[in-house]
Amino acid sequence: MLSLVMLIGVSFAGNAEQQKNTIAFSDPCDQCNYMLQHILEGLKEEHDMKGVEANNIAMPIYYTCRRECYSQ
Amino acid sequence: MKKIILILITALFSIVLSQAQVQSGEITYKVKSLDESQNKKDTTRVKSSAEKEAKQHLSDIYSKRDRAIPHLRFDLVFNPTEALFQHKESIEIDKGPDLDMGLAFVGGKGVFYTNLPEDLNIHQREYLKLVRIQSKVSDLKWQIKNEFKTIAGYQCQKAKTNIYVNDIQPEKEVTVWFANELPFSFGPMGMVGLPGMILGFERGKYFIYAKDIKLSKHNKKITSPKKGEKVTMDYIKDVDEKIKKNPVKYYNAEE
């Protein structure tokens, strides 16, 4: 499962420009949005991480949501 | 008794004299975790596959960080008026741990330059674009404490100041340890302006500490970073706000 997530993450990252232009991201569902904010704030508050880095680490939650939640 | 006092005075005088002759130096810093509990497994009950994957994703990130931290090395080169601090590249572990991940957690991305006569601190890094974040050395207001500990063989004194970390922690208190015996006002990651070299920096869950110190009687030329748009900390604060409002737009933007 982890490999799958990473594979998707890599595949998205590899087409960063393309995805920006061709995929219209929706806001994540309430549950995933909660997780995203939770992770973002945790990285910034508990780990003193800068905004850009925290965002890049937390954002794959959007992909998980899009695949797992919005597709259903 | 008189003999002992004479020996002590002579030793102290020779130390002061030898440090006075130092014109430049190079310090290697390493990093260790201050929080032993951070590696404990999360036993929270997961409610959905999405949440499970989120936890798995974070767990993977933390594993990468933990593998990288022991390999991180930073280099501080200095002369009496200028200093340059940056991550030390290592060819040997290029294909090993994800050092970039370690740097993201420790806060050590980019190049930190200090010029004391110009009261100038520069942090050159990617933050949506290549920037040189400028601030004044004198902006750091230090509180020196009467606590001591030894780092790399030097007695170090405790000091505290507040720094901007991110939008959630705009005034975070941090602790450093400086050596009065090394009369240079520099240190890691832009922590400068004390009467002695900073050999230890407690940043969040990590301790950046001096491992190897080389002093030289020859002056060393240090050059400031030239590339990147000049900005102030307001730019970083502005970007943090933008990311907060629209994280998707800034995902995987230039790190």
Side-chain angles (χ1 to χ4, degrees), chain A residues 31 48-49 53 56-57 63, chain B residues 48 57 125 169 251-252:
Chain A
Q31 186 178 318
D48 292 0
M49 194 172 272
E53 280 96 36
N56 283 342
I57 286 176
Y63 305 144
Chain B
S48 67
H57 171 66
R125 63 157 298 168
Q169 301 187 91
Y251 175 58
N252 253 342

Side-chain angles (χ1 to χ4, degrees), chain A residues 23-42:
Chain A
I23 301 173
F25 281 108
S26 303
D27 287 334
C29 67
D30 287 347
Q31 186 178 318
C32 287
N33 188 50
Y34 172 79
M35 279 193 297
L36 178 71
Q37 295 305 326
H38 181 71
I39 290 171
L40 257 175
E41 292 193 4

Side-chain angles (χ1 to χ4, degrees), chain B residues 7-24:
Chain B
I7 290 169
L8 282 174
I9 290 172
T10 311
L12 193 68
F13 191 69
S14 59
I15 287 170
V16 170
L17 206 65
S18 66
Q19 297 302 342
Q21 290 172 339
V22 173
Q23 289 300 306
S24 68

Side-chain angles (χ1 to χ4, degrees), chain B residues 5-251:
Chain B
I5 292 172
L6 191 68
I7 290 169
L8 282 174
I9 290 172
T10 311
L12 193 68
F13 191 69
S14 59
I15 287 170
V16 170
L17 206 65
S18 66
Q19 297 302 342
Q21 290 172 339
V22 173
Q23 289 300 306
S24 68
E26 185 174 344
I27 301 178
T28 302
Y29 291 84
K30 288 183 74 177
V31 184
K32 67 179 172 189
S33 173
L34 288 171
D35 183 9
E36 296 300 327
S37 67
Q38 69 180 3
N39 295 327
K40 280 183 184 171
K41 283 187 178 174
D42 184 0
T43 53
T44 315
R45 189 181 290 265
V46 289
K47 293 171 186 149
S48 67
S49 61
E51 191 173 349
K52 190 177 176 184
E53 289 198 20
K55 284 180 183 294
Q56 191 66 61
H57 171 66
L58 265 189
S59 172
D60 183 56
I61 295 293
Y62 291 146
S63 296
K64 282 183 179 177
R65 174 204 59 190
D66 293 343
R67 284 198 298 274
I69 296 289
H71 295 281
L72 289 180
R73 299 284 185 280
F74 294 96
D75 203 25
L76 174 72
V77 288
F78 63 93
N79 63 31
T81 57
E82 293 169 282
L84 201 67
F85 177 92
Q86 61 190 316
H87 170 233
K88 205 171 185 175
E89 303 285 343
S90 172
I91 299 167
E92 291 169 19
I93 51 170
D94 264 357
K95 290 177 182 174
D98 185 349
L99 296 184
D100 212 43
M101 184 62 72
L103 286 174
F105 275 93
V106 174
K109 287 197 172 187
V111 177
F112 298 81
Y113 168 80
T114 303
N115 186 315
L116 294 176
E118 294 180 16
D119 192 22
L120 178 66
N121 242 351
I122 295 175
H123 182 191
Q124 181 198 48
R125 63 157 298 168
E126 292 280 349
Y127 214 74
L128 301 188
K129 61 185 176 184
L130 185 65
V131 292
R132 283 178 288 165
I133 310 153
Q134 301 200 345
S135 60
K136 289 181 179 177
V137 171
S138 56
D139 282 347
L140 287 168
K141 307 298 179 198
W142 292 102
Q143 286 183 305
I144 297 177
K145 307 288 181 182
N146 201 26
E147 288 179 52
F148 298 85
K149 76 165 154 185
T150 303
I151 301 172
Y154 289 87
Q155 190 191 45
C156 294
Q157 191 166 1
K158 188 176 185 176
K160 287 175 178 279
T161 191
N162 292 307
I163 60 169
Y164 176 87
V165 173
N166 53 44
D167 53 298
I168 291 178
Q169 301 187 91
E171 282 285 322
K172 168 120 183 178
E173 186 181 75
V174 291
T175 297
V176 301
W177 298 87
F178 68 98
N180 285 299
E181 208 179 312
L182 295 171
F184 298 90
S185 298
F186 305 115
M189 297 179 195
M191 294 292 99
V192 295
L194 281 163
M197 185 66 83
I198 294 171
L199 300 183
F201 175 28
E202 295 172 16
R203 189 189 182 280
K205 294 175 185 288
Y206 309 99
F207 185 48
I208 297 104
Y209 64 98
K211 181 67 179 168
D212 188 34
I213 301 173
K214 290 174 188 163
L215 303 174
S216 168
K217 291 175 183 174
H218 304 286
N219 206 326
K220 187 169 188 168
K221 188 175 166 56
I222 291 169
T223 329
S224 68
K226 302 285 185 227
K227 290 180 182 172
E229 185 184 329
K230 287 181 186 175
V231 298
T232 65
M233 197 52 86
D234 286 343
Y235 167 80
I236 301 297
K237 292 173 183 174
D238 187 45
V239 168
D240 283 356
E241 280 302 316
K242 283 179 180 167
I243 290 173
K244 199 175 183 176
K245 284 177 187 160
N246 192 350
V248 173
K249 184 177 177 185
Y250 296 101
Y251 175 58

